[in-house]
């Protein structure tokens, strides 16, 4: 019995990022079509073809698993900690994209392994030029929280030469953010997620999110395109963003002052952005290439097989 349960369309595994249905604290998950992991998905399918008694269960599936033979092992691939089953379940291993999520799962008594997101190869050489004024800052609706908007509001009196670029994923949150920028008398330009040629030209990206939501895959995707990131030092954010190396980590308690300080550094020292870009791309090539990630899947298969033989 070969079973593959996927929530994303086609033969690709989409990355998930949080989005909001409304302005309250209630949050939901939506499929983010910004990037795909074709090679990762192909590897999973190859494993299923050769291991007939293994189920790969993906985040987002809320219904129960079908009646399975007792020898069946379940591998549950999740992006966010909100996908952890509320009740104890028979899962051989959880696969998560970060060490932070792995440790949380292990503390709960689950067997979990980390398989890093794959970064697509990019030509960063066309990005090493010095950024031109104004400083272009990229935002995503799933990572632009209320406290981040409040911090952006404090930049009003500082007269920074900034252009805001918002990825439009079609969610209601986009309209909320645009409305908030109008109230702040800031101009924000929306760009479709598929218009990669535009959002890739951003100088930096600013993100924030609750620790239960993983931004690791999104960060790696953006960093691979030569875009440094300013993000809050929570959850798995520090795994992809190294302070003063390929971006900056901001204190959630002092988000407004930290954001102001580091934006000022970037505006006053354009060469700093160039160095952060190069460092970020080098990090992705070293730790997030297929050559580094696919052996992790092989290791997982071996763990599953040893567990089956016991």
């Amino acid at each position: 019995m070969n079973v593959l349960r996927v929530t994303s369309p086609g033969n690709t595994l989409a990355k998930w990022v949080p989005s909001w249905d409304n302005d309250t604290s209630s949050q939901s998950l939506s499929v983010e079509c910004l990037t795909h992991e074709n090679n990762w998905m192909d590897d999973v399918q190859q494993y299923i073809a050769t291991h007939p008694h293994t189920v790969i269960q993906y985040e987002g599936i809320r219904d129960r698993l079908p009646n399975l033979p007792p020898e069946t092992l379940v591998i549950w691939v999740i992006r966010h900690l909100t996908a952890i089953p509320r009740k104890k379940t028979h899962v051989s291993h959880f696969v998560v994209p970060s060490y932070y999520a792995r440790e949380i799962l292990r503390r709960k008594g689950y067997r979990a392994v980390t398989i890093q997101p794959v970064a697509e190869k990019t030509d960063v050489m066309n990005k090493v030029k010095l950024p031109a004024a104004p400083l272009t800052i990229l935002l995503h609706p799933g990572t632009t929280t209320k406290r981040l908007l409040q911090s952006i509001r404090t930049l009003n009196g500082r007269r920074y030469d900034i252009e805001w670029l918002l990825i439009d994923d079609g969610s209601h949150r986009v309209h909320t953010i645009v409305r908030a920028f109008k109230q702040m008398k800031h101009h924000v330009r929306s760009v479709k997620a598929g218009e990669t040629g535009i959002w890739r030209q951003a100088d930096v990206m600013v993100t924030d999110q609750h620790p239960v939501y993983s931004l690791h895959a999104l960060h790696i995707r953006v960093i691979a395109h030569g875009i440094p990131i300013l993000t809050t030092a929570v959850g798995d954010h520090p795994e992809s963003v190294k302070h003063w190396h390929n971006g900056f980590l901001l204190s959630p308690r002092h988000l407004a002052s930290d954001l102001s300080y580091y934006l000022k550094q970037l505006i006053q020292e354009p060469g700093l952005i160039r160095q952060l870009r190069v460092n970020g791309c080098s990090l992705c090539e070293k730790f997030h290439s297929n050559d580094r990630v696919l052996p992790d899947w092989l290791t997982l298969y071996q763990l599953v097989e040893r567990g089956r033989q016991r």
Side-chain angles (χ1 to χ4, degrees), residues 2 13 27 76 83-84 92 103 105 151-152 171 177 185 192 199 225 231 237 259 266 281:
N2 297 337
L13 174 60
Q27 300 178 3
W76 203 321
I84 298 176
S92 173
E103 293 309 306
L105 282 164
S151 299
I152 292 174
S171 67
I177 295 173
K185 297 182 180 180
K192 297 294 184 181
W199 64 258
H225 287 284
T231 188
H237 305 184
L259 179 63
L266 294 172
C281 289

Side-chain angles (χ1 to χ4, degrees), residues 160-226:
Y160 292 146
D161 192 8
I162 294 176
E163 178 185 12
W164 299 94
L165 193 63
L166 176 65
I167 295 178
D168 185 352
D169 61 354
S171 67
H172 175 71
R173 183 66 179 169
V174 173
H175 303 289
T176 302
I177 295 173
V178 171
R179 185 169 61 250
F181 268 80
K182 287 182 178 179
Q183 293 173 351
M184 292 185 283
K185 297 182 180 180
H186 283 316
H187 174 69
V188 61
R189 182 161 59 103
S190 298
V191 56
K192 297 294 184 181
E195 296 177 321
T196 55
I198 299 178
W199 64 258
R200 286 177 183 173
Q201 298 305 312
D203 296 314
V204 296
M205 184 178 194
V206 179
T207 66
D208 177 39
Q209 191 44 259
H210 191 281
V212 297
Y213 294 107
S214 173
L215 299 188
H216 194 44
L218 176 65
H219 284 169
I220 293 301
R221 162 71 169 178
V222 174
I223 292 170
H225 287 284

